[in-house]
């Protein structure tokens, strides 16, 4: 069992000091993929004139823009960092950067077709264009803080996390979430990349993870071990359905997700698809052509 944390005290638009160097303001965009909404982090000292970074300004929402501008008033925003281009993270980056004069740093947005057909509302912000393209490994120096960009593809092909050295903490975007597992939806999402990125985060040994949605993960080692096990169990279940004779995702989902609300089955189908792509890549499953959502698979 993954030790999820869903109890979480917050108020929309309020600036909360959540650690010595971190403040958080939550946008009012709750939903099945955003939990209580997008948490925008402000990194730096709470002192007049201090230089701060802002991570994931969030959805295009005037009220949240005003809340963020109020939260950084009297300080200098030196960096706007974006973990990935989904609409609950990236669209407010440009208006916020324009109002504060800070550059936007992020990984290059995906060029390939990213629209999945599972009814997810985690669409791309197609207008997103960073000022500085990160590839991973960059050190970002600020006023009393330093971060390192950590490439963490999987949930999105251009997902970047940011490690805060002073607190041995990771702003992990949607790569790891404390309240839920993360959606890995092809074609932009990639389960093999996701599992490899998870191992990178596990190996790094952070003291705290700060996901964009929900509460922090304060015992990352145990949490990530359970998170990883959950994926491997799901993968084994998909492999077992193949071995039992199921040939399509449509056959597998009602069995694998019998206990889950049927409205979530389209999203579940994408997850099964992600596992099958990985199994095909590893030579553990076959397919009659491209490993698509409607392909015929074999053991
Ligand atoms: Zn998100």
């Amino acid at each position: 069992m993954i030790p999820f944390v869903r109890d979480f005290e917050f108020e929309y638009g309020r600036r909360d000091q959540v650690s010595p160097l971190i403040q958080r303001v939550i946008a009012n965009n709750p939903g099945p993929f955003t939990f209580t909404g997008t948490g925008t982090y402000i990194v730096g000292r709470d002192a007049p004139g201090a230089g701060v970074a802002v991570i994931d300004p969030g959805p295009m929402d005037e009220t949240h823009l005003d809340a963020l501008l109020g939260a950084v008033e009297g300080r200098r925003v030196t960096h706007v960092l974006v973990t990935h281009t989904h609409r609950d993270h990236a669209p407010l980056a440009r208006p916020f950067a324009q109002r504060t004069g800070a550059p936007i740093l992020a990984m290059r947005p995906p060029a390939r077709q990213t629209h999945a057909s599972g009814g997810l509302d985690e669409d791309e912000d197609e207008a997103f264009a960073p000022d500085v393209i990160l590839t991973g490994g960059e050190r970002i120096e600020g006023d009393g803080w330093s971060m390192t960009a950590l490439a963490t593809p999987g949930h999105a092909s251009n997902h970047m996390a940011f490690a805060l050295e002073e607190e041995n903490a990771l702003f992990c975007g949607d790569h790891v979430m404390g309240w839920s597992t993360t959606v890995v939806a092809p074609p932009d999402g990639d389960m093999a990349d996701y599992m490899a990125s998870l191992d990178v985060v596990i190996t790094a040994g952070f003291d705290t993870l700060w996901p964009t949605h929900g509460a922090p993960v304060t015992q990352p080692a145990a949490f990530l071990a359970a998170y990883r096990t959950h994926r491997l169990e799901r993968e084994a279940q998909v492999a077992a359905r193949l071995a039992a004779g199921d040939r399509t995702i449509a056959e597998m989902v009602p069995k694998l997700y019998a206990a889950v609300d049927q409205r979530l089955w389209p999203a579940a189908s994408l997850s099964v698809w992600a596992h099958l792509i990985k199994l095909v890549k590893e030579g553990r499953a076959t397919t009659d052509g491209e490993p698509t959502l409607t392909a015929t698979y074999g053991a």
Side-chain angles (χ1 to χ4, degrees):
M1 287 292 284
I2 304 171
F4 288 122
V5 178
R6 295 197 174 94
D7 276 339
F8 172 56
E9 208 273 310
F10 74 98
E11 195 178 296
Y12 291 121
R14 185 179 72 192
R15 184 183 72 176
D16 286 330
Q17 187 84 40
V18 292
S19 87
L21 279 176
I22 306 172
Q23 296 176 329
R24 184 188 57 208
V25 180
I26 296 182
N28 193 350
N29 61 331
F33 300 103
T34 60
F35 189 39
T36 58
T38 297
T40 301
Y41 292 107
I42 303 165
V43 182
R45 291 174 303 119
D46 187 12
V52 297
V54 170
I55 303 175
D56 280 353
M60 196 58 84
D61 173 337
E62 285 289 330
T63 306
H64 192 55
L65 178 60
D66 290 344
L68 291 181
L69 290 170
V72 298
E73 205 177 324
R75 295 186 283 178
R76 293 174 295 116
V77 180
T78 56
H79 303 77
V80 174
L81 307 175
V82 176
T83 60
H84 62 297
T85 17
H86 289 166
R87 285 186 190 280
D88 54 322
H89 297 251
L92 205 60
R94 184 54 64 193
F96 182 73
Q98 276 167 350
R99 297 285 289 273
T100 56
I104 300 172
L105 293 76
M107 212 186 251
R108 190 184 295 283
R112 53 187 152 132
Q113 178 57 259
T114 56
H115 286 287
S117 50
L120 297 182
D121 61 7
E122 292 200 307
D123 270 350
E124 286 288 312
D125 170 15
E126 276 149 2
F128 182 70
D131 300 305
V132 178
I133 300 281
L134 302 173
T135 57
E138 291 89 351
R139 196 149 185 276
I140 303 161
E141 297 274 5
D143 177 10
W145 54 265
S146 29
M147 285 191 264
T148 304
L150 188 65
T152 39
H155 170 69
S157 61
N158 72 331
H159 195 289
M160 189 68 84
F162 300 97
L164 176 61
E165 287 172 24
E166 287 75 9
E167 298 188 3
N168 191 32
L170 184 71
F171 298 100
C172 56
D174 286 357
H175 181 57
V176 177
M177 303 198 289
W179 69 282
S180 166
T181 57
T182 292
V183 173
V184 178
D188 190 53
D190 185 300
M191 190 60 79
D193 286 352
Y194 184 79
M195 295 302 289
S197 300
L198 208 50
D199 285 341
V200 168
V201 174
I202 289 169
T203 304
F206 294 104
D207 289 330
T208 311
L209 306 180
W210 295 96
T212 300
H213 309 288
V217 174
T218 54
Q219 311 233 308
F223 187 88
L224 290 167
Y227 221 60
R228 187 175 182 281
T229 298
H230 167 82
R231 293 288 175 173
L232 294 175
E233 282 172 359
R234 188 60 87 192
E235 180 178 290
Q237 287 165 1
V238 172
R241 289 316 319 161
L242 278 179
D246 286 0
R247 290 292 166 259
T248 64
I249 293 168
E251 281 176 273
M252 294 180 198
V253 166
K255 295 164 191 159
L256 293 172
Y257 292 88
V260 170
D261 188 330
Q262 288 198 26
R263 286 172 296 179
L264 296 174
W265 284 6
S269 301
L270 297 177
S271 180
V272 172
W273 183 23
H275 281 296
L276 283 166
I277 291 171
K278 179 171 182 283
L279 290 171
V280 168
K281 206 182 284 184
E282 294 171 354
R284 297 161 64 198
T286 60
T287 176
D288 58 345
E290 288 297 305
T292 65
L293 192 54
T294 52
T296 302
Y297 292 90

